[in-house]
Amino acid sequence: MRHPTFLSLHTMFDIEKIRSDFPILERKVYDRPLVYLDNAATTQKPRCVVDAMSEEYFSVNANVHRGVHFLSQQATDLHEAARERVARFIGAASSSEIVFTRGTTESLNLVASSFSEAFLREGDEVLLTVMEHHSNIVPWQLVRERKGIVLKVIPINDAGEVDMEAYEKLFTPRTRLVAVTHVSNVLGTVNPVKQMAAVAHAHGARILVDGAQSVPHFPVNVQDIDCDFLTFSGHKVYGPTGIGVLYGKEELLDRMPPYQGGGEMISRVTFEHTTFERLPFKFEAGTPDYVGAHGLGVALDYVEQLGMENIHLHERELTRYAMEQLSLIPGMRLFGTAAEKDAVVAFTVGDIHPLDLGTLLDRLGIALRTGHHCAQPLMARFGVESMARASFALYTTRAEIDALVSAIDRVRKMF
Ligand code: 7TS
């Protein structure tokens, strides 16, 4: 398949050149060109990220923060430079507000566990939207079991947008935290988190923003949003697996207890008493994934060099085009028609089970996702068990969307 150079007036995006940075995109599956449309699950990696990581393993590798020797110091410098890089990328006031984790899931569990320990008592309330990923639901249910907190669900309209009036009405003097995804991994809805943060703060509550599906797609600035926490995963932003980020305001992280105990996170240990390291190390027990952190830093350099605004414009245009083209297919039901929508389209076609649809599309070389997308309450909200989902990245082309549309049409005619 040819991928015509996409030089939009806005972006000057040379897609052919960009695609050549991602070796896997040249692969064939079932002897057909790969059309990879499962980017919300994970993105492919540019050569520079993998090269930087193998270079570190081959020529720098040593455990960080402990050795006085040359390599250990060099590895520590790379690790801490990556932290600075992340802080700049999301506009944090200081790199001590950046905690490295294994990914969004671990970041969310850290906040649920540690924030609740410091700030939540029985009867306190946490607000979640109905469109949350399971990783921003289940940790709070575990807290509910442990501490007797109350979870309240913020409803959405049929387009998949948060009902802001209903949101405001959910607040009581016991509301302590709002935990909301920035972008839905199913509907693509971009939630008005800045507005939601202002409402939460006006009610004396804190707000956590799950940035797993926003940070890869458009500029996200924690100080502009004024969120108290932000989480994201390296592997969804062209970085390696196994590394993620928790941003937290210093005054909050300072008052929260450690999440895990071990090496690296202590200041002094005796059998009687242990004191903890300063931020962010208090939350980073054990040998960190320092090579992964470096890889993430390089991935952020890569996207920033292309320009997050350019990536945003490119993907917005693809999303608009995909919605327009898909809606022409008979029997198409599109989920998520919010005015603010980004890089994800979810759908069902007639009575075709999404799993059958996905399996047949796969045979045509098209990789997309089917199922509940770790958002079963959202499936229930729309009265379905599962959906098919195509999700886009900076290297996705119009030709790939055309291929998706004609493959769906071909499959549809088989039923
Ligand atoms: N939050 C959101 C909004 C997500 O989309 C995901 C992963 C997570 C949290 C968890 O991220 P992890 O890196 O810790 O796994 N979403 C998806 C998805 O849509 N398909 O596979 C993973």
Side-chain angles (χ1 to χ4, degrees):
M1 186 187 7
R2 280 185 36 73
H3 298 282
T5 301
F6 179 81
L7 283 177
S8 114
L9 279 178
H10 304 296
T11 65
M12 301 302 284
F13 229 50
D14 186 346
I15 205 82
E16 209 53 73
K17 185 169 172 300
I18 288 170
R19 288 180 72 88
S20 70
D21 294 334
F22 295 80
I24 205 170
L25 298 179
E26 284 154 30
R27 258 207 77 156
K28 292 195 162 187
V29 291
Y30 309 113
D31 217 25
R32 289 169 181 278
L34 168 68
V35 176
Y36 184 77
L37 298 177
D38 195 16
N39 294 285
T42 199
T43 52
Q44 301 302 346
K45 317 305 169 199
R47 197 182 288 281
C48 60
V49 168
V50 180
D51 282 352
M53 292 172 71
S54 59
E55 174 69 14
E56 181 169 10
Y57 274 127
F58 287 145
S59 61
V60 181
N61 185 52
N63 207 331
V64 292
H65 299 142
R66 345 186 153 198
V68 289
H69 60 82
F70 186 85
L71 288 187
S72 177
Q73 287 191 1
Q74 214 171 20
T76 304
D77 288 348
L78 285 179
H79 187 56
E80 292 310 317
R83 198 188 304 277
E84 298 278 350
R85 187 73 198 80
V86 170
R88 278 202 314 281
F89 192 74
I90 58 169
S94 147
S95 65
S96 56
E97 297 181 316
I98 304 298
V99 178
F100 282 123
T101 62
R102 280 194 304 122
T104 306
T105 301
E106 190 178 42
S107 301
L108 292 168
N109 276 277
L110 191 163
V111 176
S113 167
S114 183
F115 180 86
S116 66
E117 207 46 47
F119 299 110
L120 299 184
R121 306 284 164 268
E122 189 175 346
D124 282 347
E125 296 163 1
V126 172
L127 309 187
L128 310 171
T129 77
V130 71
M131 69 175 88
E132 296 311 310
H133 188 277
H134 292 166
S135 61
N136 198 23
I137 299 174
V138 183
W140 299 108
Q141 292 175 325
L142 296 176
V143 174
R144 181 171 63 187
E145 270 168 42
R146 272 205 317 273
K147 305 208 80 162
I149 63 164
V150 176
L151 300 181
K152 290 184 164 179
V153 182
I154 308 164
I156 59 175
N157 63 20
D158 289 340
E161 294 160 323
V162 162
D163 179 339
M164 288 298 280
E165 248 176 62
Y167 168 60
E168 283 227 47
K169 285 195 185 126
L170 285 174
F171 283 87
T172 75
R174 298 301 300 270
T175 310
R176 300 279 175 261
L177 182 77
V178 177
V180 57
T181 192
H182 199 169
V183 174
S184 161
N185 68 318
V186 178
L187 307 171
T189 309
V190 183
N191 285 318
V193 290
K194 186 171 173 171
Q195 234 177 306
M196 293 178 81
V199 173
H201 292 150
H203 287 86
R206 304 292 187 163
I207 186 164
L208 174 153
V209 174
D210 173 358
Q213 301 291 354
S214 63
V215 170
H217 299 293
F218 51 81
V220 172
N221 184 300
V222 290
Q223 293 193 74
D224 178 52
I225 298 168
D226 195 22
C227 54
D228 298 288
F229 300 102
L230 178 92
T231 59
F232 69 94
S233 296
H235 71 98
K236 291 188 202 286
V237 60
Y238 312 98
T241 52
I243 187 82
V245 170
L246 168 65
Y247 156 82
K249 281 184 182 162
E250 195 161 332
E251 44 102 10
L252 280 175
L253 291 179
D254 250 342
R255 290 151 69 195
M256 286 161 48
Y259 172 55
Q260 295 179 329
E264 297 262 328
M265 51 78 73
I266 54 86
S267 166
R268 184 173 177 80
V269 176
T270 65
F271 278 108
E272 289 70 38
H273 186 67
T274 290
T275 51
F276 304 122
E277 255 286 15
R278 64 185 201 282
L279 288 176
F281 308 108
K282 180 174 86 174
F283 291 109
E284 294 181 352
T287 298
D289 183 1
Y290 50 89
V291 178
H294 177 50
L296 173 58
V298 174
L300 298 184
D301 282 342
Y302 180 81
V303 290
E304 202 138 76
Q305 187 209 327
L306 291 175
M308 287 308 295
E309 281 294 356
N310 292 335
I311 292 170
H312 184 43
L313 287 170
H314 172 66
E315 294 175 348
R316 270 285 163 107
E317 172 54 21
L318 284 175
T319 308
R320 191 203 57 73
Y321 181 65
M323 291 291 280
E324 175 193 290
Q325 294 298 310
L326 287 169
S327 68
L328 300 176
I329 297 174
M332 175 63 62
R333 181 177 176 200
L334 289 162
F335 298 90
T337 49
E340 290 295 316
K341 181 177 167 79
D342 203 82
V344 186
V345 292
F347 52 91
T348 54
V349 184
D351 293 334
I352 310 172
H353 194 286
L355 185 59
D356 293 336
L357 181 63
T359 308
L360 291 164
L361 289 174
D362 175 54
R363 287 284 161 171
L364 298 171
I366 295 172
L368 45 68
R369 186 81 180 260
T370 66
H372 54 63
H373 310 287
C374 298
Q376 284 179 336
L378 183 65
M379 299 296 117
R381 164 66 178 77
F382 283 101
V384 296
E385 284 287 321
S386 65
M387 299 175 188
R389 178 190 73 182
S391 50
F392 313 132
L394 58 88
Y395 42 65
T396 306
T397 66
R398 263 183 178 239
E400 288 182 306
I401 288 166
D402 292 339
L404 169 71
V405 171
S406 68
I408 294 173
D409 212 38
R410 201 168 141 189
V411 170
R412 180 184 67 85
K413 289 178 178 145
M414 291 161 65
F415 283 80

